[in-house]
Amino acid sequence: MTAPANGRRVLVAGATGGIGEGACRALLRAGNEVVAVGRDAARLDALAARLPGPVEAVVADVTAASAAAWFTARAGTFDGVLIAIGDPGHAHGGTVLDIPDEDVRQMIEVNELGGLRALRTLVPLVRPAGAVVTVLGMSAEIPFPQNPLMGSTNAAMRSLLRTLAEQLRPTGTRIYALVLGMVRTRARQAAGIDNPSWLTGDDIGRYTDDLVVGDVPAPAQTLRYLVDPRVGPRLEPPRPTG
Ligand SMILES: NC(=O)c1ccc[n+]([C@@H]2O[C@H](COP(=O)([O-])OP(=O)(O)OC[C@H]3O[C@@H](n4cnc5c(N)ncnc54)[C@H](OP(=O)(O)O)[C@@H]3O)[C@@H](O)[C@H]2O)c1
């Protein structure tokens, strides 16, 4: 079931990813017009077939150097944007000191430069008083031996987003860095990795809808946390355990 159209238009970058899919579904159910962006037409077709309503599917790479001009010419404007892209890379043996240069370059290229280019492409498309939500992992906030480069590129984006939010505050555009806990995604479930206490992509879509509307406590605060679905969105990081 989808709610009646609410008149808002929201773009989801990374729509074919695990978070993107759930977010598209929740945003549609809330009555938004949804523009789903991904790099692969077949994956976008498959996504559209699983969703509860029609989306406008756009095959494009928001992280390409040429993306800003392409989107400005074709995409129109939006009340909200959700950016849920990224590559986890892979785990390394040893310590941070042992990570090969090439792996560092590649992760910075995809996650930091790519994340920045996505912002460069999509922020100018947001209407005055609209919102841009970029998802980050808790690895942005804590030591993360499991995947140090994911942690460091997440932390870099966290910093860029906080600075951008300050720089754009006078324009009325709200920039959010949404730090997430573990998410139940189709890919993880297909690999037998699942936990009913984790978030769903739909949880993230519902909260994105609230952020776009501005129907949240402290709407001017950039950093937000959605870590545990039983706790819901928070303005402070969860207290470390142990
Ligand atoms: N899942 C979690 O538990 C979790 C928790 C916290 C944070 N996050 C972060 O949230 C983001 C999305 O997570 P997810 O679980 O939805 O991941 P996912 O299922 O792997 O989806 C990742 C998306 O990123 C896009 N992407 C990957 N590499 C790209 C590149 N080089 N250039 C442009 N787009 C690229 C893919 O788009 P295409 O379809 O176009 O290939 C895909 O839609 C990631 O940054 C992840 O680190 C995830």
Side-chain angles (χ1 to χ4, degrees), residues 88-111:
H90 56 269
H92 296 86
T95 72
V96 161
L97 306 180
D98 302 309
I99 301 172
D101 285 1
E102 194 40 45
D103 290 10
V104 177
R105 278 193 202 97
Q106 194 192 333
M107 285 290 276
I108 290 175
E109 170 92 18
V110 173
N111 290 335

Side-chain angles (χ1 to χ4, degrees), residues 38-238:
R39 294 174 300 174
D40 185 278
R43 281 203 296 272
L44 275 170
D45 285 347
L47 167 74
R50 292 191 293 267
L51 291 174
V55 290
E56 184 185 335
V58 173
V59 184
D61 182 354
V62 292
T63 72
S66 57
W70 193 92
F71 273 83
T72 302
R74 293 171 179 79
T77 60
F78 297 89
D79 301 285
V81 164
L82 173 66
I83 301 175
I85 59 174
D87 185 339
H90 56 269
H92 296 86
T95 72
V96 161
L97 306 180
D98 302 309
I99 301 172
D101 285 1
E102 194 40 45
D103 290 10
V104 177
R105 278 193 202 97
Q106 194 192 333
M107 285 290 276
I108 290 175
E109 170 92 18
V110 173
N111 290 335
E112 189 177 341
L113 180 57
L116 176 54
R117 282 185 177 156
L119 290 167
R120 216 183 263 153
T121 299
L122 299 174
V123 170
L125 308 181
V126 175
R127 297 170 186 152
V132 178
V133 181
T134 299
V135 299
L136 304 174
M138 275 301 293
S139 63
E141 306 254 337
I142 56 176
F144 203 62
Q146 303 91 311
N147 193 336
L149 293 176
M150 183 195 270
S152 62
T153 53
N154 260 298
M157 285 308 296
R158 179 184 186 276
S159 171
L160 290 172
L161 288 161
R162 294 182 76 194
T163 300
L164 182 64
E166 290 307 312
Q167 292 170 328
L168 295 187
R169 206 170 292 289
T171 70
T173 302
R174 289 166 294 128
I175 302 291
Y176 293 115
L178 176 57
V179 179
L180 301 174
M182 292 287 284
V183 184
R184 308 175 77 179
T185 63
R186 283 169 53 81
R188 279 198 173 127
Q189 285 170 332
I193 304 164
D194 197 12
N195 187 325
S197 71
W198 291 347
L199 298 163
T200 64
D202 298 59
D203 293 331
I204 295 148
R206 282 189 288 273
Y207 189 46
T208 297
D209 189 54
D210 292 343
L211 289 167
V212 170
V213 176
D215 184 19
V216 291
Q221 179 169 319
T222 302
L223 258 179
R224 335 277 304 192
Y225 297 84
L226 183 52
V227 174
D228 181 339
R230 292 160 300 189
V231 175
R234 299 181 57 133
L235 297 170
E236 302 292 333

